[in-house]
């Protein structure tokens, strides 16, 4: 039996890019995959593909800029999984516009922090207690290796805040079989990464699965680079 067989997984932002590849890879591993996007139309194709593979797949929709929709998403996931989520792949994110030095707006910062750090943190907060109770869980928070690009300051700071959430949760998870780590997918030719990126989005697999396939003792709080495994 495969290690992740019948585990319940939520992949946010599963309609395209990294999330799409991860949803398919988890289906191959035998997971029940809950695929999230902003609109059910956006996950229609991945639902068809996973269904054709014989994988149990459940679409959910939520605009992550809305606190109400996030609460609703948490409830939907609880209902679908009978309150038993095993794997949380926090992947959905927004890239704010490139700005001249010193010119990012308050809106750039608030939107980036909300979608890229606060919502992933709140999804962790929602599902970590159940994982700890059952003593099994894998959480991957997708961050970025972005550096020295002040034109994208709001985006990079929002990822740093997410990194900090993971770091400060390490003592809570110590000694448990609930592992939470970070993944840098590398610079990919997705809608977010743009067409000039170095890597094809398919290159995120198998690296993106490494922090999900970890053994208990391998711990939390590390940054995994998907391109190291490409
Ligand atoms: N691509 C890169 O070069 C790169 C580099 C470093 C880190 N990353 C990180 O990797 C992750 C995935 O990036 P990607 O390149 O795969 O992105 P992508 O291709 O642009 O896909 C973004 C996904 O997030 C969802 N999403 C975006 N805004 C949302 C919102 N406000 N509410 C709900 N869902 C939303 C989208 O859903 P819809 O289809 O419904 O819009 C889509 O499924 C992100 O965390 C990103 O920061 C990417």
């Amino acid at each position: 039996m495969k290690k992740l067989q019948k585990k319940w997984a939520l992949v946010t932002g599963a309609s395209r890019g990294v999330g799409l590849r991860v949803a398919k890879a988890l289906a191959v591993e035998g997971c029940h995959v809950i695929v999230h996007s902003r609109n059910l139309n956006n996950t229609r194709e991945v639902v068809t593909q996973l269904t054709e593979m014989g994988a149990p797949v459940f679409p959910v929709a939520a605009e992550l800029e809305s606190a109400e929709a996030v609460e609703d998403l948490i409830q939907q996931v609880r209902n679908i999984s009978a309150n038993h989520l095993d794997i949380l792949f926090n992947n959905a994110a927004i890239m704010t516009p490139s700005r001249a030095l010193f010119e990012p707006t308050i809106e750039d910062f608030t939107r980036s922090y909300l979608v890229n750090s606060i919502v992933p943190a709140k999804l962790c907060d929602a599902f970590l207690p159940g994982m700890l109770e059952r003593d099994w869980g894998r959480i991957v928070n997708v961050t970025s290796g972005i550096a020295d690009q002040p034109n994208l300051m709001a985006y990079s700071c929002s990822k740093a805040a997410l990194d900090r959430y993971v770091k400060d949760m390490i003592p809570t998870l110590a000694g448990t079989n609930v592992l939470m780590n970070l993944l840098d997918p590398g610079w990919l030719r997705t809608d977010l990464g743009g067409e000039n990126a170095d890597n094809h989005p398919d290159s995120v697999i198998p690296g993106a699965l490494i922090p999900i396939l970890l053994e208990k003792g391998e711990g939390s709080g590390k940054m995994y680079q998907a391109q190291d495994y490409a």
Side-chain angles (χ1 to χ4, degrees):
M1 183 158 138
K2 287 182 177 170
K3 206 169 169 179
L4 303 179
Q5 193 81 37
K6 293 195 162 73
K7 296 285 188 201
W8 279 95
L10 167 64
V11 181
T12 66
S15 54
R16 47 199 164 93
V18 172
L20 173 64
R21 273 75 184 178
V22 168
K24 283 189 198 168
L26 288 175
V28 170
E29 293 299 320
C31 292
H32 300 289
V33 190
I34 304 173
V35 290
H36 156 268
S37 70
R38 277 183 278 207
N39 186 306
L40 292 180
N41 281 331
N42 301 349
T43 44
R44 208 174 289 277
E45 204 175 313
V46 64
V47 168
T48 305
Q49 288 177 16
L50 266 57
T51 305
E52 280 170 7
M53 287 164 56
V57 56
F58 306 84
V60 289
E63 168 52 69
L64 300 183
E65 291 195 49
S66 155
E68 205 182 337
V70 172
E71 284 305 322
D72 183 60
L73 170 65
I74 290 167
Q75 205 45 57
Q76 286 186 66
V77 172
R78 287 195 172 130
N79 292 344
I80 292 168
S81 66
N83 211 6
H84 192 129
L85 194 74
D86 300 297
I87 297 165
L88 170 59
F89 196 89
N90 255 327
N91 165 75
I94 55 169
M95 172 66 84
T96 44
S98 178
R99 304 279 191 199
L101 190 60
F102 309 132
E103 295 295 336
T105 64
I106 287 181
E107 193 192 3
D108 290 342
F109 277 101
T110 49
R111 290 186 62 224
S112 305
Y113 272 78
L114 181 55
V115 177
N116 301 353
S117 28
I118 297 172
V119 169
K122 290 315 296 171
L123 291 177
C124 292
D125 287 346
F127 296 111
L128 267 171
M131 292 177 184
L132 286 167
E133 213 175 290
R134 297 186 296 272
D135 198 32
W136 202 97
R138 297 290 180 268
I139 298 181
V140 180
N141 286 321
V142 182
T143 185
S144 173
I146 190 168
D148 305 325
Q149 290 196 58
N151 56 314
L152 298 174
M153 191 62 94
Y155 172 80
S156 58
C157 287
S158 71
K159 291 296 188 180
L162 181 63
D163 298 354
R164 183 62 191 236
Y165 177 91
V166 173
K167 180 172 178 289
D168 284 7
M169 202 56 85
I170 296 172
T172 306
L173 304 180
T176 75
N177 199 4
V178 179
L179 310 184
M180 177 162 63
N181 287 288
L182 292 157
L183 177 82
D184 171 14
W187 193 21
L188 307 172
R189 289 186 293 278
T190 62
D191 293 332
L192 187 149
E195 59 190 23
N196 295 325
D198 296 330
N199 305 295
H200 192 282
D202 287 349
S203 66
V204 80
I205 302 295
L209 287 199
I210 300 292
I212 302 175
L213 290 164
L214 296 174
E215 298 294 340
K216 176 176 179 175
E218 293 180 272
S220 294
K222 297 191 192 77
M223 161 92 94
Y224 290 85
Q225 309 278 353
Q227 295 305 314
D228 285 352
Y229 304 87

